[in-house]
Amino acid sequence: MKKMRKNVYLCCGYNTVSLGTGRPEFHPKKPRPGIEHYVQEAGRKVLAQIPSADLVDECVIGNFMAARFCRQGHLAGLMASIDPALLYKPSTRTEGACCSGGLALYTAIKSILAETADVVLTLGVEVQNSMKAIYGADVLAGAGWYAGDRKKGHAYFFPNQFSIRSGVCYEKYGYDKVRRGMAHWFANAITNARRCPTAQEHHNKVEDLVELGMTPPNPKVFCEHISVFDCSKVSDAGSGLITCSEEGLKKLGIPKEQAVLVEGVGQTEADLCAPPPDQTALTNMAKSVAAAYEMAGVGPQDLAFGEVHDCFSINGLLACEAMQLVKQGEAADFVAEGNVRHDGTIPLNTSGGLIGWGHPTGGTGVRQAVDMVLQLTGKAGTFQVEVKPERPHGLLINMGGNDITVTTLIARRAE
Amino acid sequence: MDLATSLENVTVLGAGGKMGSGIALLLAVEMAKRRLDPANRGRGYRLHLVDTSAEALDGIPGYLRAQARKIGEKTTVALRELYAEREDLVENGEIIQAFVDEVLDGVRLATDAAAAKDSKLVFEAIIENPEIKVKVYRDLKKICGEEAFFLTNTSSVPIRLIDEEAGLDGRIIGYHFYNPPPVQKLVELITTPATKPGLVALSEELGKVLRKKLIPANDIAGFIGNGHFMRDGLHAIAEVEKLAKDRPFTEAVYMMDKVSRDFLVRPMGIFQLIDYVGLDVFKAILSVMKPNVPDPSLHSELVDKLVAAGVKGGQYPSGAQKDGFLKYGKKGPEGVYDPEKGDYLAYDPAWCARLDETLGAPPASWQPWKKLARNKQAGELLATYFADLHALVTPGAKLAAAYLKRSKEIGEKLVADGVANTTEDVNGVLQNGFYHIYGPINDYVQA
């Protein structure tokens, strides 16, 4: 598909709070809401923005590992618990590790394009705080190749995949330069999260964030080349929005200026059983972004902001290169110079991203889409950035595993 | 016998108690790691845990299992290396569970010391009573082989007394862990002229294996830790008795606890610490020290009275603090014992504020222990703080200055009396065993 065959819109977004360490209401030993709560809260808050739940034709829910985190499979069946009007309607669950949300968006868009639906309730959800991090690491390792790589892998399997990438980058570009870029990425994530009330790090009060980001790695308890501050959060959260056609938008009575038009989508898949072709590049992400740029007919110079998948700070840097903001090897300086800050040349992750807002793995893609809709429609409030007429496009990149499943989506405010 | 062989069969007596179970955990984990090391193939490891209380023994497997799991969860990075050859163990959860099983595997429970028959090392952490200890060691001498070494966790009983009365011929050493043993880094190592050199060498090697900081103390009842702590506590009690002439006892206790915690920048107030140790234990240690140390001040009628009234402190099996001088809630002390009423007076904010005002505020350079403990410049900051403190004339500052001075005198006396070999050893015990940021023998004291 080179071009979108009909208009597809996103609107009526909602993010729950990202619950986990950092939130004052979070206590690891006290009972917390289950996964159905997040499905229902996100779903109901979306439905509250449309005239009637009867207008929903289909449901899609993105989730990675509820079967292990919450011992709950069969998530498509949770959608009808949001509202009785959803009973007996088509419902699909998507899974692509941390890109499960991105796949939910892609699936919803395809339903619109296939004309099987005009209005799709699109959700992403994950509840991860049901176990300690060391066991959660086992669950998340499911995004890698279990039979081939898990046994020889690290206790913190996924952090270590990106620790390896970081180490190779240190060697290639210099430790101080890359580490400084990563620390500035962390600082920007927390600074932006402080602007967003639902962010997990919203209440973070650390004064010198760059210094904290420079915390040296301790391989005895964690990974060789990264510290915990280079990592995204362990989060419980749900996000939802409406994906709809032109007809759907009319049925819902949503003014176009409150919706965004999807201009380009890139969904690409790499080989789960093969190692990354280049540890210093997100090869598959670059393909996904290129496909989305081509479909949308835009380039990095046309973007007002971006929502990128910074599961680890090094991934934030490499994403800057994959989305062609800078050439390979230049991202660390680009970030350290402040280019991705709210007042920078291209604000990235304006509500904190995965490190600041939180990373409810299978829900992240939809969370990114919700924030993109808020930014493009001018409703981001305390974390709003300026969307100039000459650069009206927003971009989101959602990644699963170690650059295995990637969804890129480009949109602008509908007219 | 070398340590590697000695660790193949070990017994812990008094394993149901807090110190004994902690020592048991340290040993069980060490044995599990040795069992996993391919270099030790062919060796077997047994840890006999003995306690006369069957009820206390019942709790040991659960305790070891829970603690081994926590250790496994914290050291999974290293455990994955240890289990690298086990193809069937892939996930962290599987490896941690295997480690927990490994820790429990070599443990055998018994209510009879006869279980120590084949042990090469016997740790003893039974009640702090010289007569009972001597009796137990007499039995052990008959039960164990002649090559067995004994490590007593006593914090006060002279080693020579046990050695001579039980006829152990120098096969016993003082190996005083601090509470809780798995966490606290300090072990006081108490030798006598008769202690077998092989036992000293083995004890030092074991200290390194268990990653403990060994500080030598000489064989004078109470050693360094309790030699300081008892007198430190008695100073506070004497100050309370003085203050209580002009104000209620409850107010005096509150004030001295605050002075010793906040003004002296310690992790807890002295009465909270006595409660943590237990008033009954405090009393027992004093009664062990008194006949063995030429210091008539080693006694407290107040503590005797409180213990007789059932005010004992100590901890519940869960680790929660029992009420003693102070009453405890989830967030720490929230009341103080009133001996006249036989009940606790709950802290009232206005009551506390009035007493805080009476003491006066510490100088502006004051920082809480928690903050200073993490500060690399703590030494310089404390020098400024104590200089500022000495410039104040408030009751709180005066009590603190007198306390600081007394603490230094106690420390210096421990060196002068030959309990400690050096000033550094005294300071080392207080800093490592009591989490003080500074040692009692310091330059902060002013004349």
Side-chain angles (χ1 to χ4, degrees):
Chain A
M1 187 174 70
K2 292 279 167 82
K3 289 284 169 194
M4 297 290 283
R5 289 174 182 165
K6 60 186 287 186
N7 284 351
V8 179
Y9 300 91
L10 305 177
C11 59
C12 306
Y14 178 84
N15 290 326
T16 69
V17 158
S18 180
L19 192 67
T21 53
R23 290 298 301 191
E25 63 268 46
F26 175 75
H27 191 294
K29 290 184 179 167
K30 288 188 179 165
R32 289 178 299 281
I35 193 163
E36 50 285 279
H37 165 87
Y38 289 98
V39 170
Q40 289 159 6
E41 180 186 337
R44 285 169 190 164
K45 292 287 185 179
V46 171
L47 295 182
Q49 298 173 59
I50 65 173
S52 167
D54 291 328
L55 298 170
V56 174
D57 300 314
E58 284 185 24
C59 299
V60 182
I61 180 167
N63 173 267
F64 174 26
M65 275 286 191
R68 290 197 67 186
F69 277 126
C70 310
R71 302 186 181 195
Q72 179 62 65
H74 211 166
L75 294 200
L78 281 181
M79 297 302 275
S81 78
I82 296 169
D83 192 292
L86 302 179
L87 269 171
Y88 314 123
K89 290 186 175 172
S91 182
T92 305
R93 176 260 181 95
T94 59
E95 192 273 301
C98 299
C99 188
S100 300
L103 293 186
L105 292 167
Y106 191 61
T107 302
I109 288 166
K110 287 201 291 185
S111 281
I112 302 297
L113 295 177
E115 299 189 342
T116 61
D118 282 319
V119 177
V120 181
L121 176 60
T122 314
L123 257 60
V125 68
E126 200 80 59
V127 168
Q128 298 180 276
N129 285 294
S130 52
M131 56 184 70
K132 291 182 180 176
I134 191 69
Y135 303 111
D138 281 335
V139 175
L140 297 173
W145 181 30
Y146 178 82
D149 294 335
R150 182 62 187 116
K151 176 60 186 172
K152 63 187 178 201
H154 194 275
Y156 293 94
F157 182 85
F158 254 91
N160 197 55
Q161 302 296 305
F162 293 86
S163 170
I164 292 167
R165 283 186 181 274
S166 302
V168 178
C169 287
Y170 297 158
E171 212 166 283
K172 190 170 174 185
Y173 307 124
Y175 177 87
D176 291 341
K177 172 179 160 166
V178 179
R179 198 86 192 111
R180 193 165 142 266
M182 291 160 75
H184 277 272
W185 184 275
F186 165 76
N188 185 54
I190 304 302
T191 304
N192 288 351
R194 288 171 179 164
R195 303 174 207 267
C196 177
T198 55
Q200 204 164 320
E201 290 287 358
H202 178 63
H203 300 276
N204 186 309
K205 293 193 172 52
V206 173
E207 284 174 17
D208 193 339
L209 289 167
V210 175
E211 189 194 11
L212 188 62
M214 292 294 284
T215 301
N218 179 358
K220 278 189 181 172
V221 293
F222 194 53
C223 298
E224 193 177 352
H225 302 297
I226 61 172
S227 81
V228 290
F229 301 107
D230 292 303
C231 303
S232 51
K233 308 294 294 181
V234 174
S235 312
D236 300 350
S239 296
L241 47 65
I242 293 289
T243 309
C244 61
S245 64
E246 189 99 30
E247 296 74 15
L249 210 53
K250 277 182 200 157
K251 273 194 245 175
L252 298 174
I254 305 285
K256 275 199 174 173
E257 62 271 20
Q258 288 181 24
V260 305
L261 175 70
V262 178
E263 302 171 289
V265 186
Q267 203 281 301
T268 53
E269 202 73 27
D271 179 358
L272 185 65
C273 303
D278 179 355
Q279 292 284 12
T280 65
L282 297 169
T283 312
N284 184 35
M285 184 185 285
K287 298 271 184 202
S288 167
V289 172
Y293 278 150
E294 190 185 349
M295 191 186 290
V298 302
Q301 71 284 353
D302 302 313
L303 301 176
F305 64 88
E307 274 292 331
V308 306
H309 194 97
D310 59 335
C311 45
F312 299 91
S313 58
I314 191 69
N315 220 54
L317 301 190
L318 297 180
C320 290
E321 295 168 9
M323 65 191 279
Q324 303 165 25
L325 294 176
V326 286
K327 290 181 185 153
Q328 200 174 356
E330 295 177 355
D333 287 340
F334 181 72
V335 170
E337 285 160 8
N339 284 294
V340 304
R341 295 194 320 218
H342 256 239
D343 59 354
T345 54
I346 170 84
L348 295 182
N349 295 0
T350 59
S351 60
L354 284 63
I355 290 173
W357 190 87
H359 185 26
T361 45
T364 286
V366 180
R367 195 280 304 160
Q368 292 173 307
V370 170
D371 285 346
M372 186 167 79
V373 172
L374 291 173
Q375 285 292 4
L376 289 172
T377 56
K379 287 182 174 176
T382 48
F383 62 98
Q384 182 70 49
V385 294
E386 190 183 3
V387 180
K388 292 178 182 167
E390 65 272 24
R391 298 173 66 175
H393 310 279
L395 167 146
L396 80 78
I397 307 170
N398 185 205
M399 184 183 93
N402 189 1
D403 195 28
I404 298 299
T405 301
V406 183
T407 300
T408 304
L409 203 145
I410 295 169
R412 65 171 166 78
R413 187 176 192 161
E415 292 171 345
Chain B
M1 191 179 294
D2 64 5
L3 181 65
T5 309
S6 300
L7 279 173
E8 289 178 3
N9 196 315
V10 181
T11 292
V12 179
L13 292 182
K18 184 149 192 186
M19 298 302 290
S21 58
I23 295 166
L25 174 66
L26 281 167
L27 293 166
V29 168
E30 180 56 30
M31 287 176 168
K33 286 181 181 168
R34 282 174 185 252
R35 213 178 286 125
L36 288 170
D37 186 343
N40 292 323
R41 270 188 195 130
R43 288 181 187 267
Y45 293 90
R46 278 281 176 275
L47 177 62
H48 300 280
L49 302 183
V50 180
D51 202 292
T52 49
S53 161
E55 196 183 355
L57 275 180
D58 286 346
I60 290 181
Y63 166 78
L64 291 179
R65 200 171 289 120
Q67 296 303 315
R69 177 166 293 281
K70 281 185 189 170
I71 292 167
E73 289 167 350
K74 280 185 189 164
T75 58
T76 316
V77 173
L79 284 184
R80 288 190 73 88
E81 298 278 325
L82 281 175
Y83 284 99
E85 303 299 315
R86 285 282 300 273
E87 289 296 328
D88 58 321
L89 302 175
V90 179
E91 295 207 325
N92 295 335
E94 294 166 336
I95 286 167
I96 292 165
Q97 184 57 49
F99 176 70
V100 172
D101 294 342
E102 198 78 60
V103 169
L104 272 289
D105 263 359
V107 171
R108 299 289 180 272
L109 306 179
T111 52
D112 190 338
K117 183 168 63 77
D118 298 320
S119 288
K120 314 291 188 296
L121 291 180
V122 179
F123 287 79
E124 169 269 307
I126 64 167
I127 189 168
E128 202 67 348
N129 177 311
E131 289 76 32
I132 296 176
K133 281 194 195 282
V134 167
K135 185 185 174 305
V136 165
Y137 277 103
R138 281 183 183 147
D139 291 343
L140 283 173
K141 191 188 171 192
K142 290 178 205 157
I143 293 166
C144 301
E146 285 181 2
E147 76 285 10
F149 282 141
F150 304 100
L151 296 92
T152 172
N153 186 54
T154 182
S155 66
S156 59
V157 181
I159 309 305
R160 191 173 59 184
L161 184 151
I162 304 172
D163 191 12
E164 289 177 357
E165 296 203 13
L168 297 174
D169 195 25
R171 288 191 287 133
I172 182 168
I173 197 164
Y175 213 70
H176 177 211
F177 288 90
Y178 275 67
N179 186 8
V183 179
Q184 293 267 38
K185 287 277 170 224
L186 179 67
V187 169
E188 269 184 286
L189 187 71
I190 305 114
T191 54
T192 75
T195 312
K196 298 268 186 203
L199 173 54
V200 178
L202 189 138
S203 299
E204 286 173 347
E205 194 185 344
L206 178 67
K208 282 182 196 152
V209 165
L210 299 179
R211 286 196 286 272
K212 296 295 175 191
K213 182 177 176 62
L214 263 54
I215 293 184
N218 293 316
D219 191 30
I220 296 172
F223 317 121
I224 299 174
N226 279 332
H228 188 279
F229 171 51
M230 291 295 121
R231 292 175 175 96
D232 199 61
L234 290 171
H235 169 75
I237 289 168
E239 291 283 52
V240 161
E241 285 166 342
K242 265 195 263 174
L243 286 170
K245 286 176 185 166
D246 302 321
R247 59 176 65 249
F249 174 84
T250 47
E251 293 186 5
V253 171
Y254 173 87
M255 288 164 79
M256 280 315 293
D257 199 59
K258 184 180 173 69
V259 164
S260 55
R261 180 188 62 238
D262 293 349
F263 285 70
L264 294 189
V265 200
R266 290 180 175 182
M268 57 174 78
I270 186 65
F271 292 108
Q272 191 179 352
L273 180 59
I274 294 173
D275 289 347
Y276 179 76
V277 171
L279 277 83
D280 50 350
V281 176
F282 191 85
K283 178 177 181 286
I285 293 170
L286 283 174
S287 67
V288 171
M289 287 175 71
K290 199 169 166 51
N292 289 293
V293 180
D295 182 347
S297 69
L298 290 169
H299 177 244
S300 166
E301 277 183 28
L302 174 64
V303 172
D304 289 353
K305 249 192 260 177
L306 291 175
V307 172
V311 178
K312 292 183 181 170
Q315 282 114 50
Y316 293 102
S318 68
Q321 180 64 47
K322 288 181 185 172
D323 298 338
F325 272 104
L326 308 177
K327 184 177 178 61
Y328 296 88
K330 280 184 183 168
K331 290 181 180 173
E334 53 183 36
V336 55
Y337 188 71
D338 183 344
E340 284 180 22
K341 292 186 179 164
D343 201 0
Y344 287 87
L345 173 76
Y347 285 164
D348 171 67
W351 183 85
C352 296
R354 177 170 59 77
L355 295 174
D356 292 350
E357 201 177 319
T358 304
L359 287 171
S365 52
W366 177 81
Q367 288 189 43
W369 174 85
K370 204 172 178 181
K371 207 169 171 190
L372 270 184
R374 290 192 301 244
N375 195 320
K376 286 176 187 162
Q377 271 82 45
E380 294 158 34
L381 294 168
L382 282 169
T384 305
Y385 162 70
F386 281 119
D388 293 347
L389 182 82
H390 282 97
L392 290 180
V393 290
T394 58
K398 283 185 186 171
L399 286 166
Y403 208 136
L404 200 65
K405 188 162 169 265
R406 176 60 187 146
S407 176
K408 185 175 184 177
E409 285 169 6
I410 296 167
E412 287 174 336
K413 195 170 174 351
L414 289 170
V415 180
D417 290 349
V419 178
N421 295 330
T422 65
T423 297
E424 288 71 35
D425 287 349
V426 174
N427 286 347
V429 167
L430 271 293
Q431 286 173 286
N432 291 283
F434 292 79
Y435 288 118
H436 288 191
I437 307 171
Y438 58 97
I441 306 174
N442 56 59
D443 296 329
Y444 307 139
V445 179
Q446 289 184 10

